[in-house]
Amino acid sequence: MLKTVRLLFMILIITILTACSNNSQKTTEKPVEESQKSNEDSMDSNPIENSKKIREITPELVKDIKKILIEDASKLWPSFNNEDKQILLLNPSNKMAYLINNQKTDIGPKDEVIEYSTDSIKDTQLLVMPFQLTTFNDHPTYVFNLEFASDIISGADENAYEIVFKFIVHEGIHILLQSGESVEGLGTRAETYPEDIDSRYYRNEMYQYLKKAIESKNKDEKIDQIQQAVYFYELYLNSNKKNKAQDSYDNMEGMATYLESKAYQMIKHPEASVKELNELTSQNIIDNFIPADQDQEEVLLMKGREFYDIGALAIASAVELNLNVKTILTASPLGLLKSEFGGKKAEGHQNIKKANEDYYNSYNSKLKSYVDDIVSKQKDNQYVAVRIPVTIQNSSAMYEEMIVEYQYKGNPAEIQSTTREIILSDTRIKLNKMKSLFTQAPMEGLEDPTKMNPNTIMGYTIVYVPKKDIEFSKDKLLTIQRDDLLIFDAKYEEKDGEYQILMN
């Protein structure tokens, strides 16, 4: 469960960063000669088990990703056509790169797979971004860095292949089918304190009725369950302004989740009929249910999974009932079902209502302590704020816990518990499960965010450190050595009551 939570937050942040990266960059590469390719024995000696597992499954991934996202893209979803696009799968730690559907005939056969060593790729930005749409060898290319999938698998995990395959497809749907649209304007996915207990109850009821709709074999029964899901959808939209702002996430994440499951079933069951494939896909989505309350009655969705699971089940029902595929692709899934079938008063489930209240009352207590900790440090004269700049490409991100909305000096911010490395010109900064604030930098004046310089400051990580833990050198450099924070000889200036780390 923890790995899934961390993945959700990782995907959120890197999707935002990737959306703002330079999508217009151009890279022309040629594969290295055979003698230059990385040695098999040296890769086998890689001590990281997950990296070994990634290496083992990569050939199968290459074959199946080519099948799904290139050859059978239109079978995955009508109007999905990637014949003129390339896919580049990278694994820098194993020095592996595979260019799928090569379009540059002077380096190899057209439409085939070309093997590279990552040592031959001169554009190092490709090796540090998790995934992006860029121009590679003069052709549009979906680049996916497999190293960013290694943290979500165990080397011995029997499901490692499925997890990584779905990850690649999921982000490919966002980038290739949904036009790489940014999540800007859809509202934040951070937690709100206190959590709206009624909204969470409505969402869990929506899921249960949508699940019953999938399991119903009779069309009238399906529609009856959908109408009851719509009833709770309407309550949900009208109970909180943030819910309306986030409604489009059900389509964005639900479509990617639905199609990653369908893609996996297409690989597992190549002879399945359309009807069988729809049923297998829906069941796979249900089978991947991850309960929030594992120590209690397992009926509640993890909050971070709502957009994925509810959206996917609503899309599955729309597909099974043969609604217009063009509309399904772009519409709010529950909004579409509402417009087609309307709503019907539903009684709900008492066990879900009670489990929801118990869980989120406890959850709000945890949120309160999480927020209070930052507030107390801000008021404590023994602590000082250290502000660290974060750019598109200088920071990795992996969140261990939750992200909570916050107001810092009158501006929107987020409290994060973060494991992160930030690389500056003169130092590396490491946070290890360090509680911090993240504030977004002002973005005014940027006519086209997709053409942003990689060194543009996206925001700031602000950490609160006891003054006694900070060392200052004669050269006015700052050093902090703690279990949760390492900063060595960083240039800084004192401003607005903070120690602000400088970029240069």
Side-chain angles (χ1 to χ4, degrees):
M1 176 179 171
L2 179 58
K3 286 196 290 188
T4 302
V5 175
R6 294 191 306 184
L7 171 61
L8 293 176
F9 291 135
M10 178 182 77
I11 290 175
L12 168 62
I13 296 302
I14 58 185
T15 298
I16 294 171
L17 295 184
T18 302
C20 296
S21 68
N22 187 354
N23 288 339
S24 65
Q25 64 180 325
K26 294 185 178 181
T27 307
T28 300
E29 308 287 353
K30 291 187 178 182
V32 294
E33 299 300 323
E34 192 68 31
S35 60
Q36 293 177 275
K37 292 180 182 177
S38 52
N39 184 279
E40 294 273 345
D41 293 334
S42 66
M43 286 193 287
D44 285 338
S45 65
N46 190 324
I48 303 174
E49 195 65 28
N50 290 0
S51 184
K52 288 182 180 179
K53 188 65 179 181
I54 292 291
R55 175 177 174 266
E56 291 172 6
I57 65 177
T58 296
E60 186 178 4
L61 284 171
V62 170
K63 174 177 67 71
D64 290 344
I65 290 299
K66 184 174 189 289
K67 175 74 172 169
I68 290 297
L69 292 184
I70 303 297
E71 297 169 3
D72 288 347
S74 62
K75 294 180 183 178
L76 184 62
W77 192 260
S79 78
F80 197 23
N81 186 335
N82 298 312
E83 289 180 359
D84 62 337
K85 296 183 179 67
Q86 303 175 137
I87 300 171
L88 183 62
L89 298 186
L90 300 171
N91 191 341
S93 66
N94 286 326
K95 300 184 181 296
M96 297 164 56
Y98 293 89
L99 181 64
I100 300 170
N101 201 40
N102 168 53
Q103 297 295 297
K104 194 173 180 66
T105 55
D106 60 343
I107 66 168
K110 189 175 185 295
D111 305 329
E112 293 302 315
V113 175
I114 307 297
E115 183 176 349
Y116 284 80
S117 164
T118 52
D119 289 342
S120 72
I121 296 179
K122 298 179 179 63
D123 184 358
T124 56
Q125 186 178 349
L126 291 177
L127 306 181
V128 297
M129 292 295 290
F131 40 80
Q132 59 181 307
L133 180 64
T134 187
T135 299
F136 185 81
N137 288 351
D138 301 321
H139 291 277
T141 306
Y142 166 37
V143 181
F144 187 97
N145 192 326
L146 291 167
E147 285 192 355
F148 285 85
S150 65
D151 187 73
I152 62 172
I153 66 169
S154 166
D157 193 339
E158 293 181 358
N159 296 324
Y161 175 81
E162 178 181 355
I163 292 168
V164 179
F165 173 83
K166 285 183 174 180
F167 192 176
I168 298 169
V169 174
H170 187 104
E171 300 310 327
I173 296 304
H174 286 325
I175 288 172
L176 299 171
L177 181 60
Q178 296 174 320
S179 302
E181 291 179 0
S182 167
V183 297
E184 290 182 61
L186 297 178
T188 176
R189 283 197 253 189
E191 303 283 351
T192 302
Y193 172 73
E195 182 55 67
D196 181 354
I197 296 177
D198 286 343
S199 290
R200 302 284 67 75
Y201 169 61
Y202 300 147
R203 290 290 266 176
N204 278 287
E205 288 288 11
M206 287 161 59
Y207 178 84
Q208 291 298 326
Y209 283 108
L210 288 171
K211 178 183 174 184
K212 289 181 181 178
I214 292 297
E215 294 169 343
S216 299
K217 302 304 179 185
N218 177 277
K219 181 178 179 180
D220 290 338
E221 291 177 359
K222 284 182 182 292
I223 293 175
D224 180 72
Q225 297 297 326
I226 287 171
Q227 289 172 331
Q228 293 182 80
V230 167
Y231 171 77
F232 282 103
Y233 171 66
E234 292 173 327
L235 291 175
Y236 167 74
L237 285 186
N238 294 325
S239 67
N240 191 312
K241 290 182 179 179
K242 185 177 178 180
N243 297 342
K244 289 184 178 179
Q246 292 184 332
D247 190 36
S248 295
Y249 277 125
D250 280 353
N251 173 273
M252 185 176 75
E253 298 298 359
M255 179 60 70
T257 301
Y258 176 80
L259 291 179
E260 76 177 41
S261 292
K262 182 178 178 181
Y264 187 64
Q265 298 310 310
M266 287 171 64
I267 292 297
K268 285 184 65 179
H269 306 280
E271 303 303 322
S273 66
V274 172
K275 183 176 184 299
E276 290 170 337
L277 189 59
N278 289 341
E279 292 173 351
L280 288 165
T281 300
S282 300
Q283 189 59 51
N284 184 254
I285 295 166
I286 292 170
D287 290 344
N288 286 331
F289 171 84
I290 302 173
D293 52 345
Q294 291 186 348
D295 296 329
Q296 303 176 40
E297 187 178 3
E298 297 186 354
V299 296
L300 300 182
L301 277 172
M302 285 174 54
K303 182 176 182 292
R305 289 290 311 176
E306 288 180 6
F307 305 119
Y308 301 76
D309 293 338
I310 291 173
L313 285 187
I315 288 168
S317 286
V319 170
E320 287 191 12
L321 291 168
N322 296 313
L323 301 189
N324 184 281
V325 292
K326 290 183 179 179
T327 306
I328 295 173
L329 181 61
T330 57
S332 161
L334 267 297
L336 175 58
L337 295 177
K338 175 185 174 182
S339 67
E340 289 287 335
F341 306 112
K344 176 181 179 180
K345 185 174 175 58
E347 295 299 324
H349 304 81
Q350 285 304 312
N351 64 324
I352 292 177
K353 189 172 184 65
K354 183 179 186 310
N356 183 78
E357 288 178 354
D358 291 345
Y359 181 81
Y360 281 104
N361 279 326
S362 174
Y363 193 79
N364 274 333
S365 295
K366 294 177 182 177
L367 280 177
K368 184 177 187 303
S369 64
Y370 195 73
V371 173
D372 286 350
D373 179 66
I374 284 287
V375 173
S376 66
K377 289 175 180 175
Q378 289 175 345
K379 295 178 179 178
D380 191 336
N381 290 331
Q382 300 304 310
Y383 282 81
V384 65
V386 178
R387 178 182 288 254
I388 307 166
V390 177
T391 70
I392 292 174
Q393 66 176 13
N394 80 341
S395 175
S396 64
M398 186 65 68
Y399 298 100
E400 300 292 341
E401 293 183 26
M402 60 188 75
I403 304 177
V404 182
E405 290 182 33
Y406 188 71
Q407 286 286 320
Y408 181 65
K409 297 184 177 180
N411 296 311
E414 293 174 350
I415 304 174
Q416 305 172 346
S417 185
T418 312
T419 295
R420 162 179 277 186
E421 182 176 52
I422 300 172
I423 302 173
L424 301 178
S425 59
D426 57 349
T427 189
R428 286 175 179 251
I429 299 172
K430 293 185 179 181
L431 289 77
N432 180 28
K433 300 181 182 179
M434 178 71 169
K435 187 173 292 184
S436 61
L437 289 180
F438 182 81
T439 64
Q440 184 171 319
M443 307 300 283
E444 294 85 358
L446 288 174
E447 296 182 3
D448 185 355
T450 65
K451 296 181 179 179
M452 192 183 303
N453 186 308
N455 292 316
T456 298
I457 296 175
M458 298 288 295
Y460 298 90
T461 289
I462 303 171
V463 294
Y464 292 88
V465 184
K467 292 179 180 178
K468 64 181 180 60
D469 291 344
I470 303 178
E471 305 169 28
F472 299 98
S473 71
K474 293 181 180 179
D475 298 325
K476 294 186 178 181
L477 301 177
L478 178 151
T479 294
I480 301 171
Q481 300 183 68
R482 292 167 48 93
D483 290 341
D484 56 1
L485 178 65
L486 291 175
I487 303 177
F488 290 102
D489 292 337
K491 296 177 182 177
Y492 74 97
E493 66 177 0
E494 291 187 59
K495 185 177 180 181
D496 299 329
E498 301 174 337
Y499 291 127
Q500 299 189 5
I501 306 299
L502 303 177
M503 285 282 292
N504 298 310

